[in-house]
Amino acid sequence: MAELLRRVRDVLHLAFDDAYWVTAEIAEITLPRFGAGHCYLTLTDPAPGPGGTELRTQVRATIWRSRYELLGPHFEQQTGQPLRAGLRVLARCQVRFHEQYGLSVDVIALDASYTVGDLARQRLETIAKLQERDLLARNKRLALPLAPQRLAVVSSATAAGWQDFVQQLEEAPYAFDVALFPAQMQGQDAPASILAALEMIRRQRADFDAVIIIRGGGSRTDLLCFDDFGLAAAVGAFPLPVLTGIGHDRDEAVVDLTAHTALKTPTAVAIFLVERLARLDAAFDGYGVRIHELMLQQLAQYGAGLERLGRQLVQASQGRVAAEQAALRQRLRRATEAPREALLREARQLTAQRHQLQRAARRAVEGQRRYLRHLGRELLRRCRRQHQRRREALLRRRYELELAAVRATARHALALSAATTRHAALDPVPLARRGYLHADSLQPLTPATPAGTVLVLQLPAGPLPVQVINPAAPRLPF
């Protein structure tokens, strides 16, 4: 295996003994730390694959420390930014193969003009896409309030530009309500951070008049995040007017092109807002002076008109009073005659109504008398019927009681006769004459009655207690 790899190295060394200019995109980069060490890159380039798919070839590359100390600063000076992932570069490379580390290339030179041209092309492509989507002018068509005082500011909380902006507003004689939405304002993560802040503002857009994106001065590299297509599109489509104050004096960032108003610095944005309110304040003062002048003119005109109307009113009122007095005297005469006639008519009507009421009262009394006599006769008839029914019910009840008494008497007579008969049958004298004795015992007498049971014999001369000796012995006649 080692021999094979050595042969591969020799073949590559013979076939690629010179250096070559290649274009590639930096996929990954590891810069030297603490100003020492080498720069390691991963270069990639898209290539057409089978079926129209895109394949990205890649290779490891190295800029050795001695070369990087020259190439790095020169590249940053020419392009305005350091080497970073995502840049397309034109590099002069030498192919190297190591038995242990495999294939790699050594970068020995960089053409910065190629990268500058590629960045310019990317910027133009971004602006063209924004133009196609009408995002360069959409935010500009929004109406900026005459007095924007509720401001949503996207900036770094520790940036000097933010402090300058706030100080400028505090020194103004106007009240501004400023809410800061912190975001990272440089680096690769800056577009996503600013977009997150804009999304938070979008959800609260009813609370603000305008959005301010500010950042202090910096190098061209620090401001590349404001050329991002996604960020510029979000600014162009934002539902509130967006003002930018990104601290650079050379080219405008793409975000400046899509914003409503682009200013150079955060302080310039604050001055713009203060001057806008000052112009509005001056306009209001001018309107106040003009309104006061017009008011005085109107008061003078209305005063003269009121004096003229007052004189006309006095004349008209005097004539009106005279006419009303004449009409009132005539009405007074008619008013005294009409009540007298009305009183006579009412008196005649009252007399007729009194006679009618007397006749109606007599008829009503006679009708009530007839009705009361009818009610008396009807009540007497009902009382007689009720008395007859009660008398018949009492007679029927008396008959039932007499019958029940006769039946009860007969039953008691029969019961008394039976009791008398039973009592006579138990009399000891007749029983003795017939040859029997009546015996009383606390238990019935049977052949199984135990010996020693006590009996009481009822003799004619009186009771005689006896004791059973043998209950199974034959019965003796007495």
Side-chain angles (χ1 to χ4, degrees), residues 256-270:
D256 292 332
L257 299 178
T258 59
H260 183 281
T261 302
L263 299 158
K264 291 300 182 181
T265 62
T267 303
V269 177

Side-chain angles (χ1 to χ4, degrees), residues 109-335:
L110 292 172
D111 188 352
S113 60
Y114 174 84
T115 303
V116 171
D118 186 69
L119 291 175
R121 179 187 56 78
Q122 292 179 8
R123 175 185 168 88
L124 292 176
E125 289 177 355
T126 299
I127 295 174
K129 287 193 294 184
L130 293 171
Q131 183 68 39
E132 290 175 1
R133 292 166 173 78
D134 190 30
L135 294 176
L136 291 178
R138 182 184 299 183
N139 196 260
K140 293 179 174 61
R141 288 195 291 267
L142 298 178
L144 182 65
L146 293 176
Q149 293 176 283
R150 302 179 303 164
L151 307 176
V153 181
V154 179
S155 178
S156 173
T158 59
W162 159 247
Q163 304 298 331
D164 296 341
F165 177 80
V166 173
Q167 182 179 359
Q168 192 71 32
L169 293 182
E170 290 177 349
E171 293 175 354
Y174 306 107
F176 290 92
D177 184 8
V178 181
L180 175 64
F181 292 83
Q184 185 175 341
M185 304 303 287
Q186 69 181 42
Q188 295 182 2
D189 298 331
S193 179
I194 298 174
L195 287 173
L198 290 176
E199 183 59 30
M200 294 177 62
I201 297 173
R202 183 190 298 274
R203 293 195 292 268
Q204 309 173 39
R205 59 183 177 272
D207 300 332
F208 301 108
D209 298 325
V211 179
I212 314 297
I213 301 177
I214 56 176
R215 187 197 186 283
S219 64
R220 178 62 182 167
T221 304
D222 297 336
L223 305 177
L224 282 177
C225 59
F226 296 101
D227 289 340
D228 181 75
F229 172 78
L231 178 58
V235 170
F238 204 74
L240 293 176
V242 179
L243 283 69
T244 59
I246 302 172
H248 57 87
D249 295 327
R250 292 185 293 175
D251 298 331
E252 286 183 318
V254 178
V255 170
D256 292 332
L257 299 178
T258 59
H260 183 281
T261 302
L263 299 158
K264 291 300 182 181
T265 62
T267 303
V269 177
I271 293 174
F272 170 81
L273 295 172
V274 173
E275 289 180 349
R276 189 176 182 85
L277 265 70
R279 289 193 297 271
L280 182 63
D281 195 6
F284 284 155
D285 290 340
Y287 292 151
V289 172
R290 182 57 180 163
I291 290 172
H292 185 263
E293 294 175 352
L294 293 174
M295 181 187 66
L296 294 177
Q297 295 176 4
Q298 292 290 329
L299 286 175
Q301 294 176 3
Y302 286 131
L306 286 175
E307 290 180 358
R308 183 174 60 255
L309 291 174
R311 291 191 297 269
Q312 296 175 359
L313 181 62
V314 170
Q315 296 174 359
S317 62
Q318 291 175 351
R320 183 71 175 177
V321 168
E324 290 295 333
Q325 287 177 349
L328 183 61
R329 286 192 294 268
Q330 185 177 0
R331 290 177 183 176
L332 184 60
R333 286 193 299 270
R334 288 198 301 267

Side-chain angles (χ1 to χ4, degrees), residues 420-439:
T420 304
T421 302
R422 287 194 304 271
H423 186 272
L426 296 176
D427 191 359
V429 176
L431 287 175
R433 290 175 182 174
R434 291 169 56 191
Y436 297 96
L437 291 177
H438 180 72

Side-chain angles (χ1 to χ4, degrees), residues 44-55:
T44 183
D45 193 35
T53 60
E54 183 181 82
L55 298 177

